[in-house]
Amino acid sequence: MADDRDDDGVEMLGSVKAKLIETKQKWAAQGRLMTSAAAGTGKAKLPPGQHEVKDWPVLDLGVQPDIPHEQFRLRVGGLVENPIVWDWETFMAQPQVSDISDMHCVTAWSRYDNHWQGVTVGHLLSVVRPKPEARFVILTSYDQYTTNLPLSEFAAPDALLVHSWEGKPLTRVHGGPVRALIPQLYLWKSAKWLKKIEFAAEDRRGFWEARGYHNHGDPWLQQRYDED
Ligand SMILES: Nc1nc2c(c(=O)[nH]1)N[C@H]1C(S)=C(S)[C@@H](COP(=O)(O)O)O[C@H]1N2
Ligand SMILES: [Mo]
């Protein structure tokens, strides 16, 4: 579907991995990779049931949107005082930070000490000003992926909208030009190819959350899958 273009005019490369989605959904149903390992000391770097990797695996639905900077738009709306649409220049003109954090994927790999650059969610919140009724956030991506999280998690100090990793622009396969990075939750909450952030009063399950993954996704509590 290399020629398919969605409503943003963004080119989609690849085809949706229906089989893979089906398999992961089945694993969720079976509780695969759940372990009874004791929750660590609180200082441990490795959450229960995880192992460290040195490379950075690529996981997605099989479609990797190609978003030139001039086509990039980030829309932030819903229950906010000041909805915004940032183009690439406006996004890059926001205060920039560098931060170091770990990634924990539900498929059991963790990668330590990633160097990120981007805009803090805290800064975004200060610009859009969520209304008091806003308690949840729904992230939508250029590949139509969605994921949901409580505003309290989205507002974590390490939560970022990142454009660079290890000093280089985030590659397309890892979600460039801009992805969310919510390091205290499993990585499926960190939407790649971010295009929309919606603040809501009610929670709404995203792509994996609707397919058996845990609604919250705290790696330290091993919230991999929903209990049924
Ligand atoms: N837009 C989008 N974001 C996504 C996904 C996706 O399919 N599409 N997959 C999620 C999942 S399940 C994981 S584990 C991580 C993988 O990020 P990585 O490929 O950079 O390792 O991205 C998350 N964000
Ligand atoms: Mo994942």
Side-chain angles (χ1 to χ4, degrees), residues 17 20 24 58-64 143 173 192-193:
K17 295 172 183 157
L20 175 132
K24 289 175 97 175
V58 173
L59 291 104
D60 51 55
L61 306 178
V63 171
Q64 300 171 332
D143 62 345
V173 295
K192 310 204 278 191
W193 311 296

Side-chain angles (χ1 to χ4, degrees), residues 16-156:
V16 172
K17 295 172 183 157
K19 196 83 199 150
L20 175 132
I21 293 166
E22 203 181 294
T23 304
K24 289 175 97 175
Q25 195 168 355
K26 217 173 281 163
W27 288 1
Q30 295 164 355
R32 201 178 142 129
L33 297 174
M34 290 299 288
T35 73
S36 53
T41 58
K43 287 194 201 89
K45 239 170 137 48
L46 199 62
Q50 297 290 109
H51 64 267
E52 190 195 351
V53 297
K54 297 288 188 188
D55 60 344
W56 186 6
V58 173
L59 291 104
D60 51 55
L61 306 178
V63 171
Q64 300 171 332
D66 186 20
I67 307 147
H69 287 167
E70 58 275 16
Q71 260 176 274
F72 172 78
R73 297 289 181 281
L74 177 62
R75 290 164 205 281
V76 187
L79 295 174
V80 296
E81 301 290 350
N82 181 39
I84 53 150
V85 182
W86 281 347
D87 61 13
W88 177 252
E89 263 121 65
T90 312
F91 175 76
M92 293 305 282
Q94 306 303 313
Q96 302 287 320
V97 300
S98 299
D99 196 18
I100 302 175
S101 59
D102 301 340
M103 293 186 265
H104 307 295
C105 177
V106 70
T107 60
W109 59 266
S110 291
R111 192 179 191 287
Y112 297 158
D113 299 326
N114 300 278
H115 293 67
W116 304 105
Q117 282 171 284
V119 174
T120 64
V121 170
H123 170 70
L124 176 76
L125 296 178
S126 76
V127 172
V128 300
R129 287 177 280 122
K131 296 180 178 176
E133 315 88 86
R135 290 183 51 230
F136 299 95
V137 178
I138 295 117
L139 309 179
T140 304
S141 301
Y142 277 95
D143 62 345
Q144 312 305 333
Y145 182 82
T146 57
T147 187
N148 59 305
L149 65 169
L151 175 52
S152 54
E153 294 284 5
F154 191 54

